[in-house]
Amino acid sequence: MTENDLIKRCKKGDREAFNNLFVNYQHQVINIAYGMLSDREDAFDAAQEVFVRVYKNIESFKEESSFATWIYRITSNVCSDILRKRQRSAKVVSINQMSEENKETDIPDTAPTPEENAFLSERQRAVREAISELREEYRAVITLCDIEEMSYDDIADILKIPKGTVKSRINRARAALKKNLEKKRELF
């Protein structure tokens, strides 16, 4: 069954079709949310909210853009809402503190030594921290472009900004990310 068939069935209230769409997109939605929010629990909460909105609003999907673009736009909007709520609550958290749940989990592999794994984990943590220090609009484009490997056109559709703005934000985000990572030169 094609994605278009699933969407049509979803619009008619078919829960199994919705479950199939959920399975197809859940990992990507969580990854985008995690990239924008830098918090695992918030990313899962955001993903849950995304799929609630998709379920409630599937009839409004006009199929003018791809379903992926539509769901990523919703993800971006939900994450932006969460970030705004964080700012309003003025919760101050040091980006240098890592809770146990945010530690990078090593994937079992016999080739690298424990030291190499530790070094790689430290680099990944440094990159995550550097991304989390970026302004919201920079985190969004970096996550969509460099982590999710989306095209400039798709990013422009998702964020509802011109393609030229996407390009300039990516350049500015990469420059800011480079500046943030220069503090950790020994890792790179």
Side-chain angles (χ1 to χ4, degrees), residues 130-176:
I131 290 172
S132 73
E133 293 172 5
L134 297 174
R135 293 178 14 198
E136 177 186 341
E137 62 266 19
Y138 293 167
R139 271 194 305 240
V141 294
I142 282 289
T143 300
L144 295 173
C145 181
D146 293 335
I147 296 173
E148 293 300 318
E149 299 179 345
M150 291 185 179
S151 71
Y152 291 163
D153 290 327
D154 287 344
I155 295 169
D157 285 345
I158 291 167
L159 298 177
K160 293 185 178 178
I161 58 176
K163 185 176 175 181
T165 303
V166 170
K167 289 179 182 181
S168 66
R169 282 188 187 172
I170 288 171
N171 286 333
R172 288 185 194 126
R174 287 177 179 160

Short mmCIF file of all heavy atoms in Angstrom, two decimals, residues 130-176:
data_model
loop_
_atom_site.label_atom_id
_atom_site.label_comp_id
_atom_site.label_asym_id
_atom_site.label_seq_id
_atom_site.Cartn_x
_atom_site.Cartn_y
_atom_site.Cartn_z
N ALA A 130 27.18 22.18 21.38
CA ALA A 130 27.41 23.34 20.51
C ALA A 130 26.14 23.67 19.72
O ALA A 130 25.81 24.84 19.54
CB ALA A 130 28.59 23.08 19.57
N ILE A 131 25.43 22.65 19.25
CA ILE A 131 24.18 22.88 18.54
C ILE A 131 23.14 23.47 19.48
O ILE A 131 22.41 24.39 19.11
CB ILE A 131 23.66 21.58 17.87
CG1 ILE A 131 24.57 21.20 16.71
CG2 ILE A 131 22.22 21.73 17.39
CD1 ILE A 131 24.27 19.84 16.09
N SER A 132 23.10 22.98 20.71
CA SER A 132 22.09 23.50 21.65
C SER A 132 22.34 24.95 22.03
O SER A 132 21.43 25.64 22.49
CB SER A 132 22.04 22.62 22.91
OG SER A 132 23.17 22.82 23.72
N GLU A 133 23.57 25.44 21.84
CA GLU A 133 23.89 26.84 22.13
C GLU A 133 23.44 27.78 21.01
O GLU A 133 23.42 29.00 21.20
CB GLU A 133 25.40 27.00 22.35
CG GLU A 133 25.91 26.33 23.60
CD GLU A 133 27.44 26.34 23.69
OE1 GLU A 133 28.10 26.95 22.81
OE2 GLU A 133 27.96 25.72 24.62
N LEU A 134 23.09 27.22 19.86
CA LEU A 134 22.68 28.04 18.72
C LEU A 134 21.28 28.60 18.94
O LEU A 134 20.48 28.04 19.68
CB LEU A 134 22.67 27.19 17.43
CG LEU A 134 24.00 26.63 16.96
CD1 LEU A 134 23.78 25.71 15.77
CD2 LEU A 134 24.98 27.73 16.63
N ARG A 135 21.01 29.70 18.26
CA ARG A 135 19.65 30.25 18.27
C ARG A 135 18.70 29.23 17.65
O ARG A 135 19.10 28.40 16.82
CB ARG A 135 19.60 31.56 17.48
CG ARG A 135 20.39 32.66 18.16
CD ARG A 135 20.44 33.97 17.45
NE ARG A 135 19.51 34.17 16.35
CZ ARG A 135 19.68 35.11 15.43
NH1 ARG A 135 20.72 35.91 15.46
NH2 ARG A 135 18.80 35.25 14.46
N GLU A 136 17.44 29.32 18.01
CA GLU A 136 16.43 28.34 17.58
C GLU A 136 16.40 28.15 16.07
O GLU A 136 16.40 27.03 15.56
CB GLU A 136 15.06 28.77 18.08
CG GLU A 136 13.94 27.87 17.62
CD GLU A 136 12.57 28.38 18.01
OE1 GLU A 136 12.45 29.22 18.91
OE2 GLU A 136 11.61 27.94 17.37
N GLU A 137 16.40 29.26 15.31
CA GLU A 137 16.29 29.12 13.86
C GLU A 137 17.54 28.48 13.25
O GLU A 137 17.47 27.83 12.21
CB GLU A 137 15.99 30.47 13.18
CG GLU A 137 17.06 31.52 13.37
CD GLU A 137 16.80 32.44 14.55
OE1 GLU A 137 16.03 32.10 15.45
OE2 GLU A 137 17.41 33.52 14.58
N TYR A 138 18.68 28.63 13.91
CA TYR A 138 19.90 27.98 13.44
C TYR A 138 19.89 26.49 13.77
O TYR A 138 20.32 25.66 12.98
CB TYR A 138 21.14 28.64 14.02
CG TYR A 138 21.38 30.06 13.54
CD1 TYR A 138 22.29 30.89 14.18
CD2 TYR A 138 20.71 30.59 12.44
CE1 TYR A 138 22.53 32.18 13.74
CE2 TYR A 138 20.93 31.87 12.00
CZ TYR A 138 21.85 32.67 12.65
OH TYR A 138 22.09 33.95 12.21
N ARG A 139 19.41 26.16 14.97
CA ARG A 139 19.30 24.74 15.35
C ARG A 139 18.41 24.00 14.37
O ARG A 139 18.70 22.88 13.97
CB ARG A 139 18.71 24.60 16.76
CG ARG A 139 19.72 24.62 17.85
CD ARG A 139 19.09 24.15 19.14
NE ARG A 139 17.92 24.92 19.45
CZ ARG A 139 17.76 25.64 20.53
NH1 ARG A 139 18.70 25.67 21.44
NH2 ARG A 139 16.66 26.32 20.73
N ALA A 140 17.31 24.65 14.00
CA ALA A 140 16.35 24.01 13.09
C ALA A 140 17.00 23.70 11.75
O ALA A 140 16.90 22.57 11.25
CB ALA A 140 15.12 24.89 12.91
N VAL A 141 17.66 24.68 11.13
CA VAL A 141 18.23 24.43 9.80
C VAL A 141 19.39 23.45 9.85
O VAL A 141 19.55 22.63 8.96
CB VAL A 141 18.64 25.74 9.07
CG1 VAL A 141 17.43 26.59 8.76
CG2 VAL A 141 19.69 26.52 9.81
N ILE A 142 20.22 23.52 10.90
CA ILE A 142 21.34 22.58 11.03
C ILE A 142 20.80 21.16 11.19
O ILE A 142 21.30 20.22 10.57
CB ILE A 142 22.24 22.96 12.23
CG1 ILE A 142 23.15 24.14 11.88
CG2 ILE A 142 23.08 21.78 12.72
CD1 ILE A 142 24.27 23.82 10.91
N THR A 143 19.79 21.00 12.01
CA THR A 143 19.21 19.67 12.24
C THR A 143 18.62 19.12 10.95
O THR A 143 18.88 17.98 10.56
CB THR A 143 18.13 19.72 13.34
OG1 THR A 143 18.74 20.17 14.55
CG2 THR A 143 17.51 18.35 13.57
N LEU A 144 17.82 19.94 10.27
CA LEU A 144 17.17 19.46 9.05
C LEU A 144 18.17 19.22 7.92
O LEU A 144 18.05 18.24 7.17
CB LEU A 144 16.09 20.45 8.61
CG LEU A 144 14.91 20.58 9.57
CD1 LEU A 144 13.98 21.72 9.12
CD2 LEU A 144 14.14 19.29 9.69
N CYS A 145 19.16 20.10 7.79
CA CYS A 145 20.10 19.99 6.67
C CYS A 145 21.21 18.97 6.93
O CYS A 145 21.40 18.05 6.15
CB CYS A 145 20.71 21.37 6.38
SG CYS A 145 21.88 21.35 5.01
N ASP A 146 21.93 19.15 8.03
CA ASP A 146 23.13 18.35 8.25
C ASP A 146 22.88 17.03 8.98
O ASP A 146 23.65 16.09 8.82
CB ASP A 146 24.17 19.17 9.01
CG ASP A 146 24.69 20.33 8.16
OD1 ASP A 146 24.65 20.23 6.93
OD2 ASP A 146 25.13 21.34 8.74
N ILE A 147 21.82 16.96 9.76
CA ILE A 147 21.55 15.72 10.47
C ILE A 147 20.53 14.87 9.70
O ILE A 147 20.74 13.69 9.47
CB ILE A 147 21.09 15.99 11.92
CG1 ILE A 147 22.23 16.67 12.68
CG2 ILE A 147 20.66 14.70 12.61
CD1 ILE A 147 21.88 17.15 14.06
N GLU A 148 19.43 15.50 9.29
CA GLU A 148 18.40 14.77 8.55
C GLU A 148 18.66 14.76 7.04
O GLU A 148 17.95 14.09 6.30
CB GLU A 148 17.02 15.36 8.83
CG GLU A 148 16.57 15.15 10.25
CD GLU A 148 16.47 13.68 10.64
OE1 GLU A 148 15.98 12.86 9.83
OE2 GLU A 148 16.89 13.33 11.76
N GLU A 149 19.64 15.51 6.58
CA GLU A 149 20.08 15.55 5.18
C GLU A 149 18.94 15.90 4.21
O GLU A 149 18.79 15.29 3.16
CB GLU A 149 20.74 14.23 4.79
CG GLU A 149 21.97 13.92 5.61
CD GLU A 149 22.62 12.60 5.26
OE1 GLU A 149 21.99 11.77 4.58
OE2 GLU A 149 23.77 12.40 5.68
N MET A 150 18.15 16.89 4.58
CA MET A 150 17.06 17.33 3.72
C MET A 150 17.57 18.39 2.74
O MET A 150 18.56 19.06 3.00
CB MET A 150 15.94 17.93 4.56
CG MET A 150 15.22 16.93 5.39
SD MET A 150 13.84 17.73 6.22
CE MET A 150 13.18 16.33 7.09
N SER A 151 16.85 18.53 1.65
CA SER A 151 17.21 19.53 0.64
C SER A 151 16.80 20.92 1.11
O SER A 151 15.94 21.07 1.98
CB SER A 151 16.51 19.21 -0.68
OG SER A 151 15.12 19.48 -0.56
N TYR A 152 17.41 21.94 0.51
CA TYR A 152 17.07 23.32 0.84
C TYR A 152 15.59 23.59 0.55
O TYR A 152 14.92 24.29 1.32
CB TYR A 152 17.92 24.30 0.04
CG TYR A 152 19.39 24.34 0.43
CD1 TYR A 152 20.32 24.90 -0.44
CD2 TYR A 152 19.84 23.84 1.62
CE1 TYR A 152 21.67 24.96 -0.09
CE2 TYR A 152 21.18 23.88 1.97
CZ TYR A 152 22.09 24.44 1.11
OH TYR A 152 23.41 24.50 1.45
N ASP A 153 15.08 23.02 -0.53
CA ASP A 153 13.67 23.22 -0.88
C ASP A 153 12.75 22.65 0.20
O ASP A 153 11.77 23.29 0.59
CB ASP A 153 13.34 22.58 -2.24
CG ASP A 153 13.99 23.32 -3.40
OD1 ASP A 153 14.13 24.55 -3.31
OD2 ASP A 153 14.34 22.65 -4.38
N ASP A 154 13.07 21.43 0.67
CA ASP A 154 12.24 20.82 1.71
C ASP A 154 12.31 21.62 3.01
O ASP A 154 11.30 21.81 3.68
CB ASP A 154 12.66 19.37 1.96
CG ASP A 154 12.26 18.43 0.84
OD1 ASP A 154 11.40 18.82 0.02
OD2 ASP A 154 12.81 17.31 0.77
N ILE A 155 13.50 22.09 3.35
CA ILE A 155 13.66 22.88 4.57
C ILE A 155 12.85 24.17 4.46
O ILE A 155 12.17 24.58 5.40
CB ILE A 155 15.15 23.17 4.84
CG1 ILE A 155 15.90 21.86 5.14
CG2 ILE A 155 15.30 24.14 6.01
CD1 ILE A 155 17.41 22.00 5.16
N ALA A 156 12.90 24.80 3.29
CA ALA A 156 12.14 26.03 3.07
C ALA A 156 10.64 25.76 3.23
O ALA A 156 9.92 26.56 3.85
CB ALA A 156 12.44 26.60 1.69
N ASP A 157 10.16 24.63 2.70
CA ASP A 157 8.74 24.27 2.84
C ASP A 157 8.38 24.02 4.30
O ASP A 157 7.35 24.47 4.78
CB ASP A 157 8.42 23.01 2.03
CG ASP A 157 8.33 23.26 0.54
OD1 ASP A 157 8.22 24.44 0.14
OD2 ASP A 157 8.37 22.28 -0.23
N ILE A 158 9.22 23.29 5.00
CA ILE A 158 8.95 22.95 6.40
C ILE A 158 8.91 24.19 7.28
O ILE A 158 8.01 24.36 8.09
CB ILE A 158 10.00 21.94 6.92
CG1 ILE A 158 9.81 20.58 6.25
CG2 ILE A 158 9.92 21.81 8.45
CD1 ILE A 158 10.95 19.62 6.44
N LEU A 159 9.91 25.05 7.11
CA LEU A 159 10.02 26.23 7.97
C LEU A 159 9.24 27.43 7.45
O LEU A 159 9.21 28.48 8.10
CB LEU A 159 11.50 26.59 8.17
CG LEU A 159 12.36 25.52 8.85
CD1 LEU A 159 13.80 25.97 8.93
CD2 LEU A 159 11.82 25.17 10.22
N LYS A 160 8.69 27.29 6.25
CA LYS A 160 7.92 28.37 5.61
C LYS A 160 8.76 29.65 5.49
O LYS A 160 8.32 30.74 5.85
CB LYS A 160 6.63 28.65 6.38
CG LYS A 160 5.64 27.53 6.33
CD LYS A 160 4.35 27.92 7.00
CE LYS A 160 3.36 26.80 6.87
NZ LYS A 160 2.10 27.07 7.53
N ILE A 161 9.96 29.47 4.95
CA ILE A 161 10.85 30.59 4.69
C ILE A 161 11.40 30.43 3.28
O ILE A 161 11.41 29.32 2.75
CB ILE A 161 12.00 30.68 5.72
CG1 ILE A 161 12.83 29.39 5.75
CG2 ILE A 161 11.46 31.02 7.11
CD1 ILE A 161 14.03 29.43 6.68
N PRO A 162 11.87 31.53 2.67
CA PRO A 162 12.45 31.40 1.32
C PRO A 162 13.71 30.55 1.31
O PRO A 162 14.43 30.46 2.31
CB PRO A 162 12.77 32.85 0.93
CG PRO A 162 11.97 33.70 1.85
CD PRO A 162 11.79 32.91 3.11
N LYS A 163 13.98 29.95 0.16
CA LYS A 163 15.16 29.10 -0.01
C LYS A 163 16.44 29.89 0.27
O LYS A 163 17.38 29.37 0.88
CB LYS A 163 15.18 28.52 -1.42
CG LYS A 163 16.28 27.53 -1.67
CD LYS A 163 16.15 26.94 -3.07
CE LYS A 163 17.29 26.04 -3.43
NZ LYS A 163 17.16 25.50 -4.78
N GLY A 164 16.48 31.15 -0.14
CA GLY A 164 17.65 31.99 0.13
C GLY A 164 17.88 32.19 1.62
O GLY A 164 19.03 32.23 2.08
N THR A 165 16.81 32.31 2.36
CA THR A 165 16.92 32.44 3.81
C THR A 165 17.47 31.16 4.41
O THR A 165 18.28 31.19 5.34
CB THR A 165 15.55 32.79 4.43
OG1 THR A 165 15.07 33.99 3.82
CG2 THR A 165 15.64 32.98 5.93
N VAL A 166 17.03 30.03 3.89
CA VAL A 166 17.55 28.73 4.35
C VAL A 166 19.06 28.70 4.16
O VAL A 166 19.82 28.36 5.07
CB VAL A 166 16.89 27.56 3.60
CG1 VAL A 166 17.60 26.25 3.90
CG2 VAL A 166 15.41 27.46 3.94
N LYS A 167 19.50 29.08 2.96
CA LYS A 167 20.94 29.04 2.66
C LYS A 167 21.72 29.96 3.59
O LYS A 167 22.77 29.58 4.12
CB LYS A 167 21.19 29.45 1.20
CG LYS A 167 20.72 28.41 0.21
CD LYS A 167 20.97 28.89 -1.21
CE LYS A 167 20.49 27.91 -2.25
NZ LYS A 167 20.76 28.38 -3.62
N SER A 168 21.23 31.18 3.80
CA SER A 168 21.96 32.11 4.65
C SER A 168 21.95 31.65 6.11
O SER A 168 22.97 31.77 6.81
CB SER A 168 21.41 33.53 4.53
OG SER A 168 20.10 33.62 5.02
N ARG A 169 20.83 31.09 6.57
CA ARG A 169 20.79 30.59 7.95
C ARG A 169 21.73 29.41 8.14
O ARG A 169 22.37 29.28 9.18
CB ARG A 169 19.37 30.19 8.34
CG ARG A 169 18.50 31.35 8.68
CD ARG A 169 17.18 30.90 9.25
NE ARG A 169 16.27 32.02 9.42
CZ ARG A 169 15.01 31.91 9.77
NH1 ARG A 169 14.48 30.72 9.99
NH2 ARG A 169 14.26 32.99 9.90
N ILE A 170 21.81 28.56 7.13
CA ILE A 170 22.73 27.42 7.23
C ILE A 170 24.16 27.92 7.31
O ILE A 170 24.94 27.45 8.14
CB ILE A 170 22.52 26.42 6.06
CG1 ILE A 170 21.20 25.67 6.25
CG2 ILE A 170 23.68 25.44 5.97
CD1 ILE A 170 20.78 24.83 5.08
N ASN A 171 24.51 28.90 6.47
CA ASN A 171 25.86 29.44 6.53
C ASN A 171 26.14 30.08 7.88
O ASN A 171 27.21 29.87 8.47
CB ASN A 171 26.08 30.47 5.41
CG ASN A 171 26.24 29.81 4.06
OD1 ASN A 171 26.66 28.66 3.97
ND2 ASN A 171 25.88 30.51 3.01
N ARG A 172 25.20 30.87 8.38
CA ARG A 172 25.39 31.51 9.69
C ARG A 172 25.42 30.47 10.80
O ARG A 172 26.21 30.59 11.74
CB ARG A 172 24.27 32.52 9.94
CG ARG A 172 24.37 33.75 9.09
CD ARG A 172 23.31 34.77 9.48
NE ARG A 172 23.21 35.79 8.45
CZ ARG A 172 22.09 36.13 7.84
NH1 ARG A 172 20.94 35.56 8.19
NH2 ARG A 172 22.08 37.05 6.92
N ALA A 173 24.57 29.48 10.71
CA ALA A 173 24.53 28.43 11.73
C ALA A 173 25.84 27.65 11.75
O ALA A 173 26.38 27.37 12.83
CB ALA A 173 23.36 27.48 11.48
N ARG A 174 26.36 27.33 10.59
CA ARG A 174 27.64 26.60 10.53
C ARG A 174 28.78 27.45 11.08
O ARG A 174 29.66 26.93 11.78
CB ARG A 174 27.93 26.16 9.10
CG ARG A 174 27.04 25.01 8.66
CD ARG A 174 27.27 24.62 7.22
NE ARG A 174 26.43 23.51 6.83
CZ ARG A 174 26.13 23.20 5.58
NH1 ARG A 174 26.62 23.94 4.59
NH2 ARG A 174 25.36 22.18 5.32
N ALA A 175 28.76 28.74 10.79
CA ALA A 175 29.80 29.63 11.32
C ALA A 175 29.69 29.71 12.84
O ALA A 175 30.71 29.64 13.56
CB ALA A 175 29.67 31.03 10.71
N ALA A 176 28.47 29.84 13.35
CA ALA A 176 28.28 29.90 14.80
C ALA A 176 28.65 28.56 15.45
O ALA A 176 29.26 28.54 16.52
CB ALA A 176 26.83 30.27 15.12
#
